[in-house]
Amino acid sequence: MTLAPVLDRIDRDLDSALERLMALLRIPSISTDPAYDGEVARAADWLVEDLRSMGFDAQAHSTAGHPMVVGTAGTGAPHLLFYGHYDVQPVDPLSLWHRDPFDPAVEETDTGRVIRGRGAADDKGQLMTFVEACRAWIAVHGALPCKVTMFFEGEEESGSPSLVPWMKENPDAIRADLALICDTGLFDSETPAITTMLRGLLGEELTITGPRIDLHSGMYGGPARNPIRVLSRVLAALHDDQGRVTVPGFYDGVPEIPAEIRAQWDGLGFDADAFLGAVGLSQPAGEADRTALEMIWSRPTCEINGISGGYTGEGFKTVLPSKASAKISFRLVGTQDPHAIRKSFRRMVEEMLPPDCTASWHDHGASPASVMTTDDPAFETARRALSAEWPNLAAFIGSGGSIPVAGYIRSILGMESMLIGFGRDDDAIHSPNEKYHLSSFHRGARSWVRILDALAKG
Amino acid sequence: MTLAPVLDRIDRDLDSALERLMALLRIPSISTDPAYDGEVARAADWLVEDLRSMGFDAQAHSTAGHPMVVGTAGTGAPHLLFYGHYDVQPVDPLSLWHRDPFDPAVEETDTGRVIRGRGAADDKGQLMTFVEACRAWIAVHGALPCKVTMFFEGEEESGSPSLVPWMKENPDAIRADLALICDTGLFDSETPAITTMLRGLLGEELTITGPRIDLHSGMYGGPARNPIRVLSRVLAALHDDQGRVTVPGFYDGVPEIPAEIRAQWDGLGFDADAFLGAVGLSQPAGEADRTALEMIWSRPTCEINGISGGYTGEGFKTVLPSKASAKISFRLVGTQDPHAIRKSFRRMVEEMLPPDCTASWHDHGASPASVMTTDDPAFETARRALSAEWPNLAAFIGSGGSIPVAGYIRSILGMESMLIGFGRDDDAIHSPNEKYHLSSFHRGARSWVRILDALAKG
């Protein structure tokens, strides 16, 4: 009997596991802001030390950006590669947090105890579920049931600029039989899930320049071209009245979901009213002829993630600014080609510009959608192991998020990825007051113990 | 001969006058930002001391906001009220300044020597032209040629919240026969001007709220209402394809300019290409059927002065923000009613909002346009005096800017205002690298000496 004592060890060790997670959460590893570079490095070092303390041969590999943490332990088939990321999102607006985002704590809520803090759910808490599963296994049995390579990235929240170059230069450091990725969610609090469809992501930053300098609206208001007004017209034209994206060719490669998958999704009983109601919304805002679940799992989008121009401080300033900019992202599905869409988008915007305006662009990365090959028997093995831990059977689901690493693992290493995670929809990842349920952390670690056991037994 | 020795004194004292202006420019009296409250008070105290040193009975009157500086000297008719403001605009973006905005200096440029620094032209340099004229007159003759009351405001760049209440409570402190206001410009570098038409100004801040909290575009992108997208549609709808403002009733009270005024303006030889070319523009962007000069002097506008929402820092964040906001202003002409326009604008925006969005508003003040009664003979007297100082004859012109105090002086004190100033179009007021030509400062002070002399002689 290999499984029961390890699960028991997870239960008895929960307080210590929580202390370790808190220590990691206290490190403000915000990868997108260069001011936090030292903190990102500190988080990498913390993980290396923790892996070594469990007997892993681990180190932080430097890159042009933030380090890759890689550690290996155990022997025997299958060789599993585990991926997670130790960087976190920025915390602004800080004023909306109820506590210091980097002073985490366990709080009681209406839905149970939660771990509150930046990165609790995305992705430090999730990453540590797997680390704790391995720690418990080694503590009980002296060694892992199969070979495991840990692979932790520190740039997931800033477009992963070093990931592909590093993977291409060091494929042997991380090549294994199957990848496990813990950066997704449960279907609901009682239903675990293996995510088999992920949207791709294309990020663009557009800056429109009109006059050479900021002008005074008293002196120039009327004849001067206002770049905020131009930007507003451009952004307003990106969707038609039915909520469809107007970029030419955008829907090329967007598939309709097969009837059997649609039937399975319908069977999940997704409550769109509750999903939207939890964040103060009542009506889906996307394409008029699609359900909310389709909009998230199988339809592409165009979103404006940030906009700025002119005077935005306290009070009022009658300025006509020289520049205005927006950060725009596209979520992609099926075989949509990010590079073709970027080109078409830029051309569309440039053709809309009035005289005396120029557009400049900042490429914030691009990755296509991922669709997993679920006929690998490991998917069914993992689904059964997961189902044993939770009240409801595990489901194969889609996800609106983008986890480009799954695509790179396939294209660079030739491996399948299995995406299993324990987050909930209301974890407020990327938002103030991010949390991770204590039950997600606890049952997550127990789930990985079961999956390790099942996969090692084959 | 009263005039020549005073003009001579202005010439000989120029270096000292410049030193005094520099001292005032070094005080960062940014009225819109509460962090600078102490500096605004320091500028008021500096002016009180300077007036007292010239024999004025002067003091800083406290208000709910920044102080009003009032000082009186001289006897005899007419009693002149001089208005200027000692507060300045914010300096952002600071990175575009070639020097510290509050460490002013005289610089050589292609168009002559300039005083560089925030407030050099708007309005400290202009205010000091009149102060220096009075100082020279008193130095030469021992007393002013008529009674003069100085009235310096410290909230002009932040919507003048205390001005009307203070004027209504203290009308006798500033009531005189005629007001002189120095916050406008020359027509061109050789042609002085008396501004007889000023646009009004209406300021609004609009915040659109969609979801209750910031969301992750992976999880919610598609069904979630994006307030930046909603704001863009609202702002894009404020103008039609001909550049006309679409707010219902907006053009009520917008007069056509009389033929004789239009002929006078045509005679000024305004060079729209040069005016726009100086700031990197080539085509007027306003109403399709109007000239650039009309757009500035006699046509109303709607401008977006600032916009913000979502993530605007370094890098990228796939957030769907809860809120997005814009600062919007309207320049008004003729008898346009700011309050009716505010109401119509708000209703128009609210009617455009999709489900799950709300609009909230911040009123940033409103003042109607001012049109002066130029048949008062003092206007022709001042025009002749000005013409004697400059290469070209002085002109009666319009102005695109808004100087609400002229309207308040008429409505609260029953007085006419004469707007005379020496700024140039390229002074970059409200922008980085603001400057004031040394010749504007020097000839401005000499111009006031001539106007004081002419008005005192009647």
Side-chain angles (χ1 to χ4, degrees):
Chain A
M1 186 69 189
T2 53
L3 185 59
V6 186
L7 294 173
D8 187 52
R9 165 82 193 189
I10 291 282
D11 297 346
R12 283 183 288 108
D13 193 43
L14 182 62
D15 286 347
S16 303
L18 202 50
E19 275 172 36
R20 287 185 286 270
L21 173 57
M22 294 296 191
L24 182 57
L25 291 174
R26 281 186 206 105
I27 305 174
S29 49
I30 301 170
S31 59
T32 201
D33 185 341
Y36 291 87
D37 282 0
E39 299 293 342
V40 179
R42 198 153 68 86
D45 293 341
W46 188 96
L47 285 163
V48 168
E49 286 311 306
D50 193 49
L51 290 178
R52 286 179 180 166
S53 75
M54 295 159 52
F56 275 73
D57 174 16
Q59 56 184 307
H61 297 257
S62 61
T63 71
H66 300 297
M68 304 289 172
V69 172
V70 180
T72 298
T75 54
H79 180 182
L80 301 174
L81 176 71
F82 177 82
Y83 168 91
H85 66 89
Y86 62 87
D87 62 321
V88 300
Q89 280 275 320
V91 297
D92 58 287
L94 189 58
S95 59
L96 296 184
W97 283 81
H98 304 137
R99 61 179 300 116
D100 178 345
F102 297 109
D103 178 24
V106 172
E107 296 177 2
E108 296 286 347
T109 73
D110 293 348
T111 56
R113 298 172 76 192
V114 304
I115 304 156
R116 182 87 63 191
R118 174 55 90 225
D122 184 18
D123 182 48
K124 291 172 175 173
Q126 302 244 67
L127 177 158
M128 290 301 288
T129 57
F130 191 81
V131 173
E132 295 300 341
C134 291
R135 192 191 320 274
W137 198 287
I138 293 167
V140 171
H141 297 296
L144 289 166
C146 60
K147 186 172 180 184
V148 171
T149 297
M150 302 281 195
F151 179 36
F152 303 147
E153 186 193 1
E155 300 181 335
E156 200 273 346
E157 302 293 4
S158 54
S160 296
S162 308
L163 185 62
V164 168
W166 193 88
M167 287 176 72
K168 285 185 173 169
E169 281 169 29
N170 302 275
D172 295 337
I174 50 173
R175 185 174 284 120
D177 299 316
L178 175 69
L180 304 173
I181 298 177
C182 192
D183 198 16
T184 52
L186 302 168
F187 174 72
D188 63 32
S189 62
E190 309 211 316
T191 312
I194 300 178
T195 301
T196 63
M197 295 172 61
L198 286 166
R199 291 196 289 191
L201 180 63
L202 166 59
E204 280 279 55
E205 187 163 347
L206 161 64
T207 299
I208 292 180
T209 302
R212 190 172 50 77
I213 55 169
D214 284 2
L215 303 174
H216 181 201
S217 80
M219 184 174 296
Y220 287 92
R225 188 70 63 184
N226 183 330
I228 306 179
R229 187 169 140 199
V230 175
L231 181 62
S232 296
R233 289 182 86 101
V234 165
L235 298 178
L238 293 177
H239 293 84
D240 67 16
D241 289 343
Q242 296 302 303
R244 284 173 64 90
V245 177
T246 56
V247 174
F250 184 73
Y251 289 94
D252 293 352
V254 176
E256 286 301 325
I257 296 305
E260 67 272 21
I261 295 275
R262 186 186 292 266
Q264 191 197 324
W265 289 1
D266 289 347
L268 285 169
F270 177 71
D271 185 344
D273 289 345
F275 175 77
L276 291 173
V279 295
L281 299 174
S282 68
Q283 295 192 26
E287 294 168 275
D289 56 346
R290 302 289 173 173
T291 68
L293 201 62
E294 278 181 280
M295 289 177 194
I296 302 166
W297 286 358
S298 67
R299 299 299 298 176
T301 67
C302 166
E303 292 291 354
I304 312 162
N305 303 111
I307 191 165
S308 65
Y311 184 68
T312 59
E314 286 262 328
F316 208 90
K317 188 171 165 181
T318 51
V319 65
L320 295 181
S322 169
K323 293 173 191 298
S325 7
K327 296 183 202 261
I328 299 148
S329 61
F330 299 86
R331 297 277 172 181
L332 307 177
V333 303
T335 57
Q336 278 182 297
D337 176 350
H339 302 291
I341 289 172
R342 186 191 299 283
K343 205 168 150 188
S344 177
F345 170 58
R346 290 186 177 186
R347 189 168 49 229
M348 172 185 168
V349 169
E350 282 163 7
E351 284 172 359
M352 286 184 67
L353 293 181
D356 296 331
C357 278
T358 55
S360 60
W361 300 95
H362 186 128
D363 173 342
H364 282 287
S367 61
S370 295
V371 181
M372 307 301 155
T373 311
T374 51
D375 47 10
D376 179 331
F379 278 79
E380 193 52 34
T381 301
R383 203 182 66 78
R384 278 197 306 271
L386 257 182
S387 298
E389 175 63 30
W390 296 79
N392 295 341
L393 295 182
F396 290 149
I397 66 169
S399 166
S402 302
I403 303 184
V405 68
Y408 306 143
I409 286 173
R410 176 181 290 162
S411 62
I412 300 171
L413 305 175
M415 292 162 56
E416 280 303 311
S417 293
M418 204 165 345
L419 292 111
I420 300 171
F422 312 99
R424 296 200 194 178
D425 287 347
D426 66 351
D427 280 348
I429 65 170
H430 296 210
S431 292
N433 303 309
E434 179 178 349
K435 58 87 180 161
Y436 195 48
H437 265 73
L438 192 57
S439 64
S440 291
F441 183 61
H442 184 191
R443 275 194 160 146
R446 287 174 55 101
S447 296
W448 286 122
V449 168
R450 291 181 187 274
I451 292 167
L452 276 174
D453 181 61
L455 292 175
K457 285 177 178 156
Chain B
M1 186 69 188
T2 52
L3 186 58
V6 186
L7 293 174
D8 187 52
R9 164 82 194 188
I10 292 282
D11 296 347
R12 283 185 289 109
D13 193 45
L14 183 61
D15 285 348
S16 303
L18 203 51
E19 274 173 34
R20 287 184 286 270
L21 173 57
M22 295 295 192
L24 181 57
L25 291 174
R26 280 186 206 105
I27 306 173
S29 49
I30 301 169
S31 59
T32 202
D33 185 342
Y36 291 88
D37 283 359
E39 299 293 342
V40 179
R42 197 153 68 86
D45 293 341
W46 187 96
L47 285 163
V48 168
E49 286 310 308
D50 193 49
L51 291 178
R52 286 180 180 165
S53 75
M54 295 160 52
F56 275 73
D57 175 17
Q59 57 184 306
H61 297 258
S62 61
T63 71
H66 300 298
M68 303 290 172
V69 172
V70 180
T72 298
T75 54
H79 180 182
L80 301 175
L81 176 71
F82 176 83
Y83 168 91
H85 66 89
Y86 62 87
D87 62 321
V88 299
Q89 281 276 321
V91 297
D92 58 286
L94 188 59
S95 59
L96 297 184
W97 283 81
H98 304 136
R99 61 179 300 115
D100 178 345
F102 297 109
D103 178 23
V106 172
E107 297 178 1
E108 296 287 347
T109 73
D110 293 347
T111 57
R113 298 172 76 194
V114 304
I115 304 157
R116 182 88 61 193
R118 174 55 89 224
D122 184 18
D123 181 49
K124 290 172 175 173
Q126 302 245 66
L127 177 157
M128 290 302 287
T129 57
F130 191 80
V131 172
E132 294 301 341
C134 291
R135 192 189 321 273
W137 199 288
I138 293 166
V140 170
H141 298 296
L144 290 167
C146 61
K147 186 172 179 182
V148 170
T149 296
M150 302 282 195
F151 179 36
F152 303 148
E153 185 192 1
E155 299 181 336
E156 201 272 348
E157 303 293 5
S158 54
S160 296
S162 307
L163 185 63
V164 167
W166 192 88
M167 288 176 72
K168 285 186 173 169
E169 280 168 30
N170 302 275
D172 295 336
I174 50 172
R175 185 174 283 121
D177 299 314
L178 176 69
L180 303 173
I181 298 177
C182 192
D183 198 16
T184 51
L186 303 167
F187 174 71
D188 62 32
S189 63
E190 309 211 316
T191 312
I194 300 178
T195 302
T196 63
M197 295 171 60
L198 286 167
R199 290 195 289 192
L201 181 62
L202 166 59
E204 281 279 54
E205 188 163 346
L206 161 63
T207 300
I208 293 179
T209 303
R212 191 172 49 76
I213 54 170
D214 285 1
L215 303 175
H216 181 201
S217 80
M219 185 174 294
Y220 288 92
R225 188 69 64 183
N226 183 331
I228 305 179
R229 185 169 142 200
V230 174
L231 181 62
S232 297
R233 290 182 86 101
V234 164
L235 298 178
L238 293 177
H239 293 83
D240 67 17
D241 289 343
Q242 296 302 303
R244 284 174 63 89
V245 176
T246 56
V247 174
F250 183 72
Y251 289 94
D252 293 352
V254 176
E256 286 302 325
I257 297 305
E260 67 272 20
I261 296 275
R262 186 185 292 266
Q264 191 198 324
W265 288 1
D266 289 347
L268 284 168
F270 177 72
D271 185 344
D273 289 345
F275 175 78
L276 292 173
V279 295
L281 300 174
S282 67
Q283 295 192 27
E287 294 168 274
D289 56 345
R290 301 290 173 172
T291 68
L293 200 64
E294 279 181 280
M295 290 177 194
I296 303 165
W297 286 358
S298 67
R299 299 298 299 175
T301 67
C302 166
E303 292 291 355
I304 312 161
N305 303 112
I307 191 164
S308 65
Y311 183 68
T312 59
E314 287 261 330
F316 208 90
K317 188 171 164 181
T318 51
V319 65
L320 295 181
S322 169
K323 293 174 191 297
S325 21
K327 297 183 201 262
I328 298 148
S329 62
F330 299 87
R331 297 277 172 180
L332 307 178
V333 302
T335 57
Q336 278 182 295
D337 176 350
H339 302 292
I341 290 171
R342 187 191 298 284
K343 206 169 149 187
S344 177
F345 170 59
R346 290 185 177 186
R347 190 169 48 229
M348 173 184 168
V349 170
E350 283 163 6
E351 284 173 359
M352 285 183 68
L353 294 180
D356 296 331
C357 279
T358 56
S360 61
W361 300 95
H362 186 129
D363 173 343
H364 282 286
S367 61
S370 295
V371 182
M372 306 303 156
T373 312
T374 51
D375 47 9
D376 180 331
F379 277 79
E380 193 52 34
T381 301
R383 202 181 66 78
R384 278 196 307 270
L386 256 183
S387 297
E389 175 63 28
W390 296 78
N392 295 341
L393 295 182
F396 289 149
I397 65 169
S399 165
S402 302
I403 304 185
V405 69
Y408 305 143
I409 286 173
R410 177 181 288 161
S411 63
I412 300 171
L413 304 175
M415 292 161 56
E416 278 304 311
S417 293
M418 203 165 344
L419 292 112
I420 299 172
F422 312 99
R424 295 199 194 179
D425 287 347
D426 66 352
D427 280 347
I429 64 170
H430 295 210
S431 293
N433 303 309
E434 179 177 349
K435 58 86 178 160
Y436 195 47
H437 265 72
L438 192 57
S439 64
S440 291
F441 184 60
H442 184 191
R443 274 194 162 148
R446 286 175 57 100
S447 296
W448 285 123
V449 168
R450 291 181 187 275
I451 292 167
L452 276 175
D453 180 61
L455 291 176
K457 285 178 178 158

